[in-house]
Amino acid sequence: MLAVASRAVRRLRRTLEMDELAYALLSHTGGSFGFPEKYEFIVKRHFQIVYLEEFLNDKDAYSQKIQVILLWWHMPKIDRELLESLPNLKVIGSSGAGVDHLDLQLISSYGIKVTNTPHVGDDATADVGMALMLSSAKNIPEGNRIACSPETSHFDLNWVGDDITEATLGIIGMGSIGYSIALRAKAFRMNILYHNRQRRKPEEELAVGALYCSNMADLLQQSDFVMLVVNLTPETHKLIGKHELQLMKPTATLINISRGPVVDQDALVEALTNRRIKAAALDVTYPEPLPRNHPLLTMKNVILTPHIGNATDKTRQKIAEKLVSNACAIIKGFPITDIVTAP
């Protein structure tokens, strides 16, 4: 009898604890776009999860309860209709650093705070930037194709790639990810140039041996590899266009790990076709994925990856934890640094 009573008490305690948890709206679970099932435990420590379909099927039950929306890579979509249906919504937490998918003016007009998870994925993204540069310079994808092809009978010993060691790397956008790339490039004894809205501290430049270019044109003209690591803003939309590509060396490679619209893709296709630049390695495009007949998909001097900058299990779990901890702090009235404000 005591054991039965004890179990009943534990169940009651769990029920009461669940009733005290705030409600968080997520898009859906699993699959290609949903919140990963293996990270759900992180959310459930602090929130009761309501998935979008569940909410839409019974708005009366949940509309007053939901205080948090947790976006997993832009899902669910935030629009006026959704905001109108959640009168007690306090915070929208967005995974990743970029918030160009959100109408910040609209959200702030409802008195709702927006948080993001900057810096958590810096190292993973920097690793991908270096991997793309190395893969392009050393012809890794094409080399793999040749080595595995049933038609291959011999290797062309005069087929060569490019050096990374002591080459010049131009980093456009020397924020935390850009600086992480510079730290890695230093190990390759690369000559590092950078262009940024604000110059970094002298001791930071010295630590990686980076030289500041106040004029982006100077960086483009000197670099063997140009790495784009900027946020997408109205100022950086098509930052690299026909003019900028013409400034680059014909032996140079463009690497983009920021956002697709930072590059004018039509101008890039033209530059690659005409060998105005040697190659491109892109983790981001617009749209994503590209139409299956897009010329970038079949160019041998192009490497494409499916926006995998911070796609490691360790990093994604940290992002989920940061996403949840930020939302908890807002609900409890604690100060946090990862607040995004409307421009």
Side-chain angles (χ1 to χ4, degrees):
M1 289 292 292
L2 288 175
V4 173
S6 178
R7 286 196 296 272
V9 169
R10 286 197 297 270
R11 284 197 298 269
L12 177 60
R13 185 182 294 120
R14 284 196 296 268
T15 301
L16 291 173
E17 288 172 351
M18 288 297 291
D19 286 342
E20 292 173 0
L21 294 178
Y23 283 69
L25 180 67
L26 284 77
S27 61
H28 60 286
T29 183
S32 298
F33 304 102
F35 194 87
E37 295 178 35
K38 61 182 175 180
Y39 305 149
E40 284 183 347
F41 76 94
I42 298 169
V43 183
K44 289 178 179 178
R45 288 173 184 162
H46 304 280
F47 298 109
Q48 294 194 63
I49 295 176
V50 179
Y51 286 108
L52 185 61
E53 183 177 1
E54 187 181 5
F55 166 70
L56 294 175
N57 288 337
D58 195 356
K59 287 187 178 182
D60 291 340
Y62 297 113
S63 62
Q64 299 290 329
K65 295 181 179 180
I66 292 172
Q67 300 182 59
V68 174
I69 297 178
L70 299 178
L71 301 182
W72 192 250
W73 312 117
H74 310 178
M75 301 281 284
K77 181 182 178 182
I78 303 299
D79 55 23
R80 187 179 298 275
E81 181 180 358
L82 182 59
L83 295 175
E84 289 283 356
S85 64
L86 299 171
N88 293 316
L89 184 64
K90 295 181 180 179
V91 56
I92 296 173
S94 182
S95 55
V99 291
D100 47 280
H101 55 287
L102 293 173
D103 186 338
L104 297 177
Q105 294 283 0
L106 173 65
I107 294 168
S108 65
S109 71
Y110 285 85
I112 299 165
K113 291 182 169 61
V114 173
T115 67
N116 62 348
T117 61
H119 312 310
V120 180
D122 288 357
D123 283 330
T125 305
D127 288 347
V128 167
M130 295 300 291
L132 285 170
M133 180 169 63
L134 286 162
S135 295
S136 181
K138 302 304 180 183
N139 298 315
I140 299 299
E142 181 65 8
N144 178 73
R145 187 196 66 77
I146 292 170
C148 297
S149 173
E151 299 175 359
T152 297
S153 60
H154 66 279
F155 294 155
D156 182 352
L157 300 182
N158 291 318
W159 184 55
V160 297
D162 296 321
D163 285 319
I164 294 290
T165 302
E166 298 182 350
T168 299
L169 170 63
I171 302 172
I172 299 178
M174 186 72 106
S176 54
I177 297 175
Y179 197 76
S180 293
I181 290 166
L183 287 168
R184 288 155 173 77
K186 181 185 178 184
F188 285 89
R189 303 197 305 275
M190 298 189 81
N191 303 304
I192 302 169
L193 309 176
Y194 79 97
H195 174 75
N196 205 40
R197 286 178 300 175
Q198 295 181 331
R199 185 170 183 172
R200 298 198 70 119
K201 296 176 182 178
E203 57 268 28
E204 293 173 335
E205 292 181 345
L206 184 63
V208 294
L211 297 177
Y212 178 63
C213 296
S214 58
N215 187 341
M216 190 172 71
D218 293 337
L219 178 150
L220 293 171
Q221 290 170 335
Q222 298 179 64
S223 298
D224 299 304
F225 302 91
V226 175
M227 186 95 67
L228 303 177
V229 207
V230 297
N231 293 325
L232 178 59
T233 66
E235 292 72 32
T236 61
H237 184 263
K238 293 190 177 179
L239 178 69
I240 303 298
K242 184 174 182 177
H243 173 69
E244 289 73 24
L245 291 165
Q246 288 176 339
L247 291 175
M248 292 174 63
K249 295 180 179 180
T251 55
T253 297
L254 179 71
I255 302 125
N256 188 7
I257 58 171
S258 56
R259 287 293 187 271
V262 170
V263 177
D264 182 337
Q265 279 183 178
D266 292 337
L268 178 60
V269 168
E270 181 182 355
L272 290 165
T273 301
N274 296 330
R275 296 287 175 175
R276 182 50 252 162
I277 65 171
K278 182 175 182 179
L282 314 171
D283 186 44
V284 289
T285 59
Y286 66 92
E288 292 177 350
L290 288 170
R292 295 298 86 185
N293 61 348
H294 197 282
L296 285 174
L297 299 178
T298 55
M299 289 182 161
K300 288 190 175 182
N301 55 346
V302 175
I303 295 175
L304 296 172
T305 50
H307 206 148
I308 56 172
N310 62 24
T312 71
D313 181 54
K314 183 178 178 180
T315 298
R316 290 290 171 87
Q317 180 164 331
K318 286 182 178 179
I319 288 171
E321 290 169 349
K322 189 69 169 174
L323 190 65
V324 170
S325 65
N326 282 342
C328 285
I330 295 295
I331 292 294
K332 296 175 181 178
F334 297 152
I336 65 169
T337 58
D338 301 329
I339 291 284
V340 182
T341 57

